[in-house]
Amino acid sequence: MSEQRPYDLDAEQEDALIESEFKQLLDGYLASPHRKKVEIIERAYRFAREAHKGVRRRSGEPYILHPIAVARIVSREMGLGSTSICAALLHDVVEDTEYTTEDIEAHFGKKIAELVDGLTKISGGIFGDKASVQAENFRKLLLTMSKDIRVVLIKMADRLHNMRTLGSMAPAKQFKIAGETLYIYAPLAHRLGLFAIKTELEDLSFKYEHPAEYERISELLHKSFASRESAYNEFAAPIRRKLDDMGIRYEAKARLKSVYSIWRKMETKHVPFEEVYDIYAMRIIFDCPEGMSEKELCYKIYVMLTELYTPHPERTRDWISVPKANGYQALHVTLMGQSGNWIEVQIRSRRMDEIAERGFAAHWKYKIGAGAEREDSELTVWLKTIKDILDDPTPSAIDFLDTLKLNLFSSEIVVFTPQGELLTLPADSTVLDVAYSLHSEIGNHCIAGKVNHKLVPLSQRLASGDQVEVLTSKTQHPRKEWMQILTTAKARTRLRKELRREMQPMIDKGQALFDKFLDENKIEKSNEVLTSILGHYHISSRDELMLKLGTGELSLDNYRDSARGESSFMKRLLSLGSFGKKKKKKKASAEPDALTRVISDGKHEITITRPEKVNTKEVYTLEYHNNGRNFMMPDCCHPLPGDDVMGFVRDDGFVEIHSLTCPRAQLLKTSYGSRVLAVEWKRDPEALFIADIQIEGIDRQGILQDLTRAISEALELDLRSLNIEAHDEVFSCRLSVRVSSTQDVADLLRKLKSIDGVKRAGRIKV
């Protein structure tokens, strides 16, 4: 570790800084409603400071500042008490020093030791610096959650502080950490109701993945602040007067849409910043007087609002009668403001607001009362769903994370059984999802359903308020294609488990054939060998490979006989896994036929060069020209020079690039972080790439000629395809052009938008 001190402080100044940071932690705790267990917190701080003595973070600052900062987040931003604060202060002691969990228990008791132990067990893999291909550490986290959810809350605080200080890390490490934060931590924060933390994690991830866009949108928000504030004050003034007249104690404030949320809307809706109209909403937080229910006062305020402004008929949301699965409660109404834009107003009690911001972390404060049983049961139901996912014994890491993601970050609907039981499900859930949510056997034998007393197929998508009856038959059995119509993680896990049970004999047979193939060729069994075979045959999982072998659909013996002496893949496979021959891997990868690969883009033959050695700690330069480049572009996304991209070192040593918005990129960063590269474009204006453009507008005679003229004549771009459709005087056009960079696309979009009749034009991205 470097001995460089932060901010050029000497030892005395540094000591004063540490003590000052701890004092701020203690002051915040003393101002909270918790019992004042100051002595144990001070002991935990002294213990952690001594344990981490002399150790520094990558930024050069003393390591102890990190656990102090985590403890402050746990205390001030989550509202947790002394046990969690002590565990936060001690969370890295067992992992990074000579002290053991037994030492922690001896000094601080069993409960704090259990929390520290839980945090230590999940310190590696997906939640640490070592990028594990396996999802085992995530499993450990979720299992620990079912015992004491404070473990995941402290882990969330740990990640939040790491994201706040991510600037000191290498670019590739920033990509990895930001990627898994956006893919796992932000959805997990959302699911736990930690809205403020979820929003900050998203914004920080976006800042490191798309720095230019982050700065651009931030600057646009800054420039439009005055006009936005004026519009808000104009809208809010009549509401404030009415609330004052009603004698309500309240706080009214503007809720600004986050930079990441604005960008996501611009990307998904293909609209510019100027057309994002819901940048702010109004939030009314009231103190409920004695003798009146929160729900009653919410609706009194709602009636007052609808007397002032016209409500949107389809955008009123009652999350009070039916709270969200993460405990969120509020009444939302969207009103037509004076400026002609729809503005959302969120009505909450003080209790609802604290739970909305701090989620399950705030529930303990409100365990007394009628709402406590419901809040606790919602948490219990969600943790039970997580346990169902964990019961699936052998998913791949990516399948596991994907399945979990379904349950973490999804819009929700509420449906009812014929008996009136309420079920909260992700949006787009089907009758089959309902069947599996009730019981595995009901799902396995589901043949159809009745939705609002009407017979529907098991693939029928449901809407909030539907009454759903599941119909079953003993002759029905699960089918693999059902996986395509399921939305919930629980249903997918239960179906996968049943399919595996039915296919297990064939999978076992395939495994025996696979093991025999490895033994006969003296190939040592390893994840790298299995990954190479899966990639070669374009098979997504181990079970699928074994099933194909077991049923005879695939034969490794036949492939070996036909390829012996000819296949570079077979040579590489044999050298990759042969007993006692692992060191020959470098020699095999240096063969001339493995250094290059030739592909066609429909117009040119392109030679792809494989780098001899890639240093993942340095920025990899993407070099290209018309007939050659040092990277590959997979089919999942088609980035252009100028886009924010990442590199990934494949099993065969070639570097492939992905747009940072590509779903595949998110999975790679989360599961294979050690092979992710920070990259930069080395521009060559002669090299061309395909860009897809979507145009919408008012149809008129001559519009097609104007479009093609703008493309081919004014900008001299090579038009590859064009498809235009018109319905009721409105047209939609999709075209593909060859461009050298995102700047060409920007120039084209400006030209297209200037054409009479064109209302919207944007690039289609992943």
Side-chain angles (χ1 to χ4, degrees):
M1 286 284 179
S2 168
E3 287 302 316
Q4 176 189 356
R5 291 186 169 87
Y7 320 116
D8 295 322
L9 301 182
D10 59 30
E12 188 177 332
Q13 291 171 322
E14 193 175 84
D15 185 68
L17 170 66
I18 295 169
E19 290 295 329
S20 171
E21 292 294 314
F22 176 67
K23 185 178 183 302
Q24 289 183 49
L25 163 65
L26 213 53
D27 289 345
Y29 170 70
L30 290 170
S32 75
H34 290 281
R35 288 177 294 170
K36 304 303 182 280
K37 296 185 177 181
V38 174
E39 186 271 336
I40 194 170
I41 294 175
E42 288 185 333
R43 279 199 293 114
Y45 160 63
R46 301 295 171 196
F47 190 96
R49 183 169 182 183
E50 181 61 29
H52 294 300
K53 188 175 181 180
V55 181
R56 297 186 180 277
R57 303 190 83 205
R58 189 179 295 270
S59 61
E61 69 183 16
Y63 193 87
I64 187 61
L65 290 176
H66 168 64
I68 291 173
V70 174
R72 283 181 66 182
I73 293 170
V74 162
S75 175
R76 290 195 179 186
E77 299 180 46
M78 293 182 174
L80 300 181
S82 60
T83 301
S84 299
I85 292 170
C86 290
L89 287 167
L90 299 164
H91 78 274
D92 279 333
V93 167
V94 174
E95 171 72 12
D96 295 341
T97 76
E98 298 299 315
Y99 289 103
T100 65
T101 305
E102 289 73 23
D103 295 327
I104 301 296
E105 183 172 349
H107 284 82
F108 302 101
K110 188 174 181 179
K111 179 50 67 179
I112 290 173
E114 285 177 351
L115 291 177
V116 173
D117 186 49
L119 289 158
T120 303
K121 285 176 178 174
I122 57 173
S123 61
I126 199 170
F127 292 92
D129 291 336
K130 299 171 185 174
S132 172
V133 177
Q134 303 302 321
E136 190 55 36
N137 287 286
F138 200 29
R139 289 172 175 277
K140 289 176 183 175
L141 172 80
L142 298 170
L143 285 168
T144 309
M145 279 174 62
S146 63
K147 297 175 184 175
D148 194 327
I149 200 169
R150 285 176 291 186
V151 171
V152 77
L153 296 174
I154 297 167
K155 193 66 198 177
M156 197 71 68
D158 179 46
R159 174 50 58 110
L160 178 58
H161 184 249
N162 283 334
M163 286 300 297
R164 287 173 176 174
T165 57
L166 194 57
S168 61
M169 305 294 284
K173 188 66 72 70
Q174 289 176 349
F175 276 152
K176 172 197 173 297
I177 294 173
E180 69 183 25
T181 297
L182 198 57
Y183 194 79
I184 294 295
Y185 278 94
L188 191 54
H190 168 84
R191 202 61 180 76
L192 291 168
L194 300 165
F195 179 79
I197 288 175
K198 179 213 89 163
T199 302
E200 187 175 355
L201 289 175
E202 286 176 339
D203 272 3
L204 288 169
S205 298
F206 178 55
K207 177 180 178 180
Y208 285 102
E209 290 201 329
H210 302 274
E213 278 296 285
Y214 179 87
E215 288 300 324
R216 186 176 76 85
I217 294 173
S218 298
E219 181 62 22
L220 288 169
L221 283 172
H222 177 71
K223 287 181 178 177
S224 61
F225 172 77
S227 60
R228 210 170 52 245
E229 185 177 40
S230 174
Y232 171 78
N233 289 336
E234 183 183 13
F235 174 79
I239 296 174
R240 288 177 180 275
R241 285 195 293 271
K242 284 285 187 180
L243 288 169
D244 291 339
D245 292 343
M246 293 169 71
I248 296 172
R249 290 177 57 195
Y250 69 93
E251 177 187 357
K253 57 186 178 182
R255 190 274 303 161
L256 182 65
K257 201 176 188 72
S258 71
V259 174
Y260 174 77
S261 295
I262 293 170
W263 176 77
R264 284 294 300 164
K265 186 152 194 174
M266 291 166 62
E267 290 288 300
T268 55
K269 301 291 186 183
H270 305 297
V271 297
F273 175 85
E274 292 72 25
E275 292 182 28
V276 179
Y277 295 118
D278 60 341
I279 285 179
Y280 69 88
M282 184 179 187
R283 187 170 291 161
I284 298 171
I285 304 159
F286 62 84
D287 296 314
C288 196
E290 199 139 344
M292 182 178 286
S293 74
E294 294 173 332
K295 186 174 181 179
E296 181 185 354
L297 190 47
C298 275
Y299 272 98
K300 280 191 172 184
I301 294 171
Y302 168 80
V303 170
M304 176 272 289
L305 292 173
T306 57
E307 288 173 349
L308 282 175
Y309 297 106
T310 303
H312 193 295
E314 297 177 0
R315 287 170 66 179
T316 297
R317 299 286 183 267
D318 182 358
W319 298 113
I320 299 174
S321 302
V322 184
K324 289 187 177 183
N326 60 13
Y328 178 84
Q329 288 182 286
L331 184 61
H332 292 193
V333 57
T334 301
L335 306 170
M336 175 61 74
Q338 297 97 325
S339 59
N341 294 326
W342 293 106
I343 298 172
E344 184 180 76
V345 180
Q346 302 167 355
I347 310 167
R348 304 173 179 174
S349 70
R350 187 71 59 184
R351 178 191 67 87
M352 293 175 192
D353 184 64
E354 188 163 354
I355 289 175
E357 295 301 308
R358 294 179 173 178
F360 286 122
H363 283 193
W364 290 314
K365 184 177 176 180
Y366 298 103
K367 277 191 173 179
I368 301 169
E373 187 177 333
R374 163 169 274 175
E375 288 161 6
D376 286 351
S377 68
E378 284 160 358
L379 177 55
T380 303
V381 168
W382 185 68
L383 291 174
K384 186 177 182 302
T385 301
I386 294 299
K387 285 183 180 178
D388 284 340
I389 301 171
L390 296 171
D391 284 341
D392 193 12
T394 55
S396 70
I398 287 180
D399 281 348
F400 176 75
L401 295 173
D402 238 358
T403 302
L404 189 76
K405 183 81 181 272
L406 289 172
N407 238 57
L408 288 180
F409 213 172
S410 55
S411 301
E412 296 164 340
I413 60 170
V414 176
V415 299
F416 299 88
T417 67
Q419 293 74 36
E421 181 187 354
L422 182 150
L423 299 174
T424 301
L425 298 167
D428 291 331
S429 289
T430 62
V431 169
L432 190 58
D433 282 303
V434 171
Y436 273 111
S437 73
L438 297 173
H439 197 279
S440 293
E441 283 302 299
I442 296 176
N444 292 337
H445 299 293
C446 177
I447 55 170
K450 283 186 176 179
V451 175
N452 305 324
H453 310 291
K454 179 183 176 183
L455 189 65
V456 297
L458 50 78
S459 60
Q460 177 72 32
R461 303 284 173 188
L462 304 172
S464 264
D466 283 344
Q467 186 182 64
V468 185
E469 180 182 354
V470 177
L471 305 180
T472 61
S473 169
K474 290 183 179 179
T475 61
Q476 177 72 295
H477 294 284
R479 301 174 188 174
K480 187 177 179 180
E481 54 267 28
W482 284 5
M483 200 65 74
Q484 306 305 314
I485 62 174
L486 289 173
T487 296
T488 64
K490 176 189 282 189
R492 286 194 173 189
T493 300
R494 290 182 168 180
L495 173 59
R496 191 183 292 116
K497 192 174 182 179
E498 181 63 20
L499 290 173
R500 187 182 292 112
R501 188 185 68 79
E502 292 188 353
M503 297 184 298
Q504 198 58 49
M506 285 295 103
I507 291 174
D508 292 342
K509 181 180 177 182
Q511 183 71 59
L513 292 170
F514 182 74
D515 292 343
K516 181 183 176 183
F517 169 80
L518 297 183
D519 289 341
E520 288 179 349
N521 289 279
K522 293 185 172 56
I523 299 174
E524 188 175 3
K525 189 185 296 186
S526 69
N527 283 336
E528 198 168 2
V529 168
L530 179 62
T531 301
S532 294
I533 294 174
L534 292 175
H536 182 78
Y537 288 109
H538 304 291
I539 294 173
S540 61
S541 69
R542 184 195 71 86
D543 280 356
E544 186 182 349
L545 172 65
M546 302 312 162
L547 184 64
K548 287 179 182 290
L549 291 172
T551 58
E553 184 180 341
L554 183 69
S555 172
L556 291 172
D557 283 333
N558 291 344
Y559 175 76
R560 178 187 59 193
D561 293 340
S562 65
R564 193 182 296 280
E566 298 173 9
S567 167
S568 61
F569 166 73
M570 192 64 188
K571 289 179 185 177
R572 180 180 176 277
L573 183 61
L574 291 170
S575 64
L576 186 74
S578 296
F579 292 110
K581 296 182 180 179
K582 287 188 177 180
K583 290 183 179 178
K584 290 190 176 182
K585 179 179 175 182
K586 289 186 179 179
K587 183 178 178 182
S589 66
E591 291 175 4
D593 62 337
L595 287 171
T596 60
R597 189 168 297 177
V598 179
I599 62 172
S600 173
D601 69 349
K603 195 165 184 177
H604 300 95
E605 293 286 313
I606 300 174
T607 301
I608 310 296
T609 305
R610 178 178 64 79
E612 291 191 22
K613 187 176 182 181
V614 177
N615 185 347
T616 57
K617 294 182 179 179
E618 295 180 353
V619 177
Y620 184 78
T621 301
L622 304 174
E623 299 179 349
Y624 55 93
H625 42 84
N626 265 336
N627 56 2
R629 58 182 184 236
N630 65 346
F631 59 91
M632 306 191 80
M633 296 179 69
D635 294 333
C636 52
C637 60
H638 302 282
L640 302 176
D643 279 334
D644 292 326
V645 293
M646 57 160 257
F648 177 73
V649 183
R650 303 176 359 155
D651 286 340
D652 57 12
F654 284 86
V655 172
E656 67 181 30
I657 65 168
H658 292 268
S659 167
L660 289 179
T661 57
C662 172
R664 175 73 179 165
Q666 297 288 352
L667 287 170
L668 291 174
K669 282 180 288 186
T670 301
S671 300
Y672 303 93
S674 60
R675 291 156 65 181
V676 168
L677 295 172
V679 298
E680 63 181 5
W681 298 94
K682 183 179 179 181
R683 302 292 177 87
D684 184 341
E686 299 301 316
L688 299 175
F689 299 80
I690 298 293
D692 296 318
I693 307 294
Q694 181 77 26
I695 309 165
E696 297 171 359
I698 308 301
D699 193 23
R700 62 170 172 79
Q701 189 172 2
I703 188 75
L704 180 58
Q705 290 88 338
D706 288 349
L707 290 173
T708 53
R709 190 180 303 116
I711 298 162
S712 57
E713 293 180 12
L715 298 173
E716 299 181 345
L717 296 177
D718 182 5
L719 180 62
R720 305 298 291 165
S721 68
L722 185 146
N723 181 42
I724 189 167
E725 296 179 355
H727 298 286
D728 299 327
E729 299 184 352
V730 175
F731 80 89
S732 175
C733 174
R734 178 164 181 158
L735 57 91
S736 294
V737 291
R738 291 168 64 87
V739 298
S740 65
S741 69
T742 53
Q743 187 57 52
D744 285 353
V745 176
D747 292 342
L748 173 59
L749 293 178
R750 272 195 297 272
K751 185 68 178 176
L752 292 172
K753 289 175 182 177
S754 69
I755 296 173
D756 182 32
V758 172
K759 298 299 181 185
R760 183 172 296 165
R763 178 179 159 209
I764 301 171
K765 295 190 283 187
V766 174

